[in-house]
Amino acid sequence: MPFTAHDDHSGASAEERFNAFVVARTPALSRTAYLLTGDAHLAEDLVQTALFKAARSWHRIEGDPEPYVRRILYTQNVSWWRSRRRMREHALPEQYDAATPAADPDLRLTLEQALGRLTTRQRTVLVLRYFEDLTEVQAAEVLGIGAGTVKSIGRQALARLRTLAPELAELVGEPAGGSA
Amino acid sequence: MTGRLREELQRLGEVAPVVEVPADTWSRGRRARRRDQALTLAAVAAVLAVVGGLVAWLPQRDQPPVADTDSLGVPERLYSVPERMSDRRLDDTWSSGEVTDDLAVGVAAAAWVTEAGLPVVVDAAEGDYHLLDLPDFGGNNSHVADGFTPPTVALAPDGRSLAYSYASLDPEGDEAFETRDAAAAEPIPSGLRVLDLVTGDLRTVEIAGFDGTAVSQIAWSPGSTWLAWVGAHQGTWTPDGSGAEFPTGGRVAPGATTSQPLRLGDHESATLAVDDTGEVWAVDEGRLVRWTGGEPRGVAVRGDIWPRHAVLTSGGLAVGTRDELEVGLIDARGRVSRIQANGDLPVGGGSAEVLGTLGDDLVVRTRSADDTDGQLLLLSTDGAAEVVGSVEPGVPDTLSLATGLMTAERPSVERPAPDWPWSYERWVLVLAGLAFAVATVASFVTWLRRRLKGAST
C-alpha cells in the first residue's frame, strides 16, 4: 500500500506518516543511494539529506512521497558531484574518471569497481534505467534533462564499462544493444 | 545482455548497508521550514521597506483632484521653486526646460520672482506652476536681476493681468549693442509691461528718462484698473551694469500706454499703493505722500513703521511690520496705529506683509525668522485672525496674490504640490540608493540562507 504525505483517513499525524515512511522505505532508498554513490558514507549522507528535505517540504508533497524523495536522491547526488568542495572532502570516485588504459592486461574489475569509475551522471542513468527500471523518458523527467541526453549518457556508460572491464562485456551486452 | 546487468545491480543493491536515519529528522525539517518562512517574511519586509522608503521619498502623488476651471482660487499652500529651475546658460538665457514663453497661462492666483530673477506664476484653475520667459523682463539680464533696483512682477487682484518691469537690454538685431558707447547711445527702452494672462497679449508702458528706467515696485489698485510704480532712472545703463540712479515713480491709468510721473524727491525707498480712482499713497520711514495727479501732498509719518507691501483701505494705508503678528495703519495725517493679531498663531520672530484686502479684512503674509513656513492670514481691524494658507519660506517677498479670487467662505483652495522634474543629483542618489538597497537585501538573504542551510545539514 503506497504511502501518502497527508490525510489518509488513518488519523495519523504528518509526523507519524513521515516516520512510517522512513521505517518502511529507508532500506530501498539506501540501496539506490549506494548504487548512485558507490560509497556507504556518501549513501548515508544522501539518504539523510533527502529525508530531511522531505520533512521540510512535507506540506507540499501530495500523494506518495517516494517519487519526491527519490528525485532528491538523484539530483542531490549530481549536485554534490558539481560541488568542488564536496569533491575535495570525499574524494569522489569521479577523480578516476580520466581515461584508464584500456589495454592494461592486468586490469580486472568487478562491476562495483567499474561503476565507481563512471561519472556520476553515467552511474545515475544506469541506476535509473537498469535498477529502477525507468524508461528513458521517465529517467529524463526525473533528472530534468532530455530523453536524448539520457540515451546518449546511457550508451556512453555502457561503452565505458566495456572498456574498463572487458570481462563484464557479457553483462552489458554488445554496443548496438546498449540502450535497450 | 543488459538483463544480466540489471540482475547484477540488484545483487549489489542487496548488500548495501541500510542507512541510519536520525530520529530528529522530522523535527529538524520542521524547524528549517519555520526558518524558511521567517526568512521569506524578512525578505518581503525588507523589500517593502525599501520600496516604501523610495515611494515616501518621491514627490507626493496622492494629491487631491484638480478643481475644474469654474472654481478658481488661491492655493492654500504656496511652494518655493527649486533653485535649479533658475539656472542660466552662458548667454544669460534660462536653461531649464520648464521655463516657457507660452504666456497665456490663464487666470493666475499668485506670482513672484525667484531670487535669481525668474518670474513664477501659479494658475488659479489647477494650481500649476508656470516659469515664464517674459519678453524683455529685466530679470532676464543677470546684472539687472542682481542690481540695486531688481525687477519685479505684480499680479492684478483679479488674477488676469501681470505687470512687470521690462528693459530691452539686448535689442534683437542690434549687433553693436554690446559695445555701444553708453554716453552717445539712445536710452534703453524700458518701463512697465502688462501681460494679459488669458490671451497672452502685451501692453507696453515705456518710461523715458536718462539711460532708461528700472522699475522695482509695482502696485495694482484693488479693482485691477490703475497701476502705480516706483523705480529709478539709470544714469548709465549697459548690459553689463548701471551707473547713478535717480528715484522716480508714476501711475498708469487703466489701459494706458504712458505713465504719469510722480515726483518722489529723495524718497527712493518709498512703498506705494493706489486706489481705483488713481490716488497714490507713497510712504517711507519718515514721510507719507498722497497724489491724485496734481501737486503731491506730503505729511510726516508719526510713528515707527516698516514700509514694505502696502494696501489702501478705508482706514488708511496698511503696511507690514517687523512683527509677524502686527500690521501698521497710517492715516491721511501720517498717524500710525497698529492692528495686533489675536489668537493662537505661530510666533517665529519674523515679519508681516500686507498683500491685499478681502472685504474689510487684510490679507497678510507672515514670515518667520527661521526656515519654517509662513502663514496667510485674514486679519480684521479688531485683530481677529484666521489662518487660511501657508507659504514656504523660499517664496520671496515679491509675492503678489490674486486676492480678488478669495472669498470669505472660500479664502483658499486645495491644490496639488508642483511636480518638478528630478535633478541630476537626485537621479544619481535614487539609483545608487536603489542599487545599494537591492544589493544589501540580496546579500543578507544569501548569507542567511547559507547559514541556515549549514545549520540544517
Side-chain angles (χ1 to χ4, degrees), chain B residues 204-287:
Chain B
T204 298
V205 182
E206 184 167 350
I207 302 166
F210 296 84
D211 233 9
T213 304
V215 173
S216 57
Q217 186 192 153
I218 305 170
W220 282 94
S221 67
S224 306
T225 51
W226 284 82
L227 279 166
W229 60 273
V230 292
H233 291 312
Q234 303 293 305
T236 304
W237 207 2
T238 72
D240 299 319
S242 60
E245 295 189 341
F246 305 92
T248 184
R251 67 177 185 178
V252 180
T257 55
T258 58
S259 172
Q260 302 169 27
L262 165 64
R263 293 192 298 276
L264 286 173
D266 58 355
H267 303 291
E268 59 187 50
S269 59
T271 295
L272 80 171
V274 60
D275 68 14
D276 286 323
T277 68
E279 180 173 348
V280 176
W281 289 40
V283 65
D284 64 14
E285 290 180 353
R287 185 177 174 83

Side-chain angles (χ1 to χ4, degrees), chain B residues 48 71 117 126 132 152 234 257 260-261 297 312 363 376 423 437 457:
Chain B
L48 287 177
S71 56
E126 299 181 347
L132 298 184
T152 189
Q234 303 293 305
T257 55
Q260 302 169 27
R297 289 171 291 170
L312 265 176
V363 180
L376 282 180
S423 65
T457 58

Side-chain angles (χ1 to χ4, degrees), chain A residues 14-15 18 26 30-31 34 44 48 51-52 55-56 58-59 111-112 115 130-131 133 158 170-173, chain B residues 1-2 4-6 8-10 12-13 16-22 25-26 28-30 32-33 36 456:
Chain A
E15 181 177 3
F18 173 79
T26 295
S30 299
R31 288 193 287 274
Y34 181 73
E44 186 175 27
Q48 289 176 352
L51 290 173
F52 166 78
R56 188 168 66 178
W58 195 255
H59 62 288
L111 174 61
E112 187 174 1
L115 285 173
Y130 302 111
F131 182 71
D133 273 339
L158 293 176
E170 185 186 357
L171 293 181
V172 300
Chain B
M1 300 293 290
T2 51
R4 287 288 309 281
L5 174 60
R6 182 170 292 109
E8 285 300 310
L9 287 173
Q10 295 289 348
L12 277 177
V18 176
V19 171
E20 287 287 331
V21 179
T25 300
W26 172 261
R28 284 191 300 116
R30 301 318 292 171
R33 163 69 182 155
D36 288 346
S456 300

Side-chain angles (χ1 to χ4, degrees), chain B residues 330-365:
Chain B
I330 310 169
D331 67 14
R333 296 184 178 181
R335 291 176 299 196
V336 177
S337 58
R338 297 180 186 282
I339 302 173
Q340 184 75 38
N342 305 321
D344 183 18
L345 295 171
V347 179
S351 59
E353 296 163 4
V354 184
L355 300 182
T357 56
L358 175 56
D360 293 332
D361 293 342
L362 298 171
V363 180
V364 178
R365 175 195 182 181

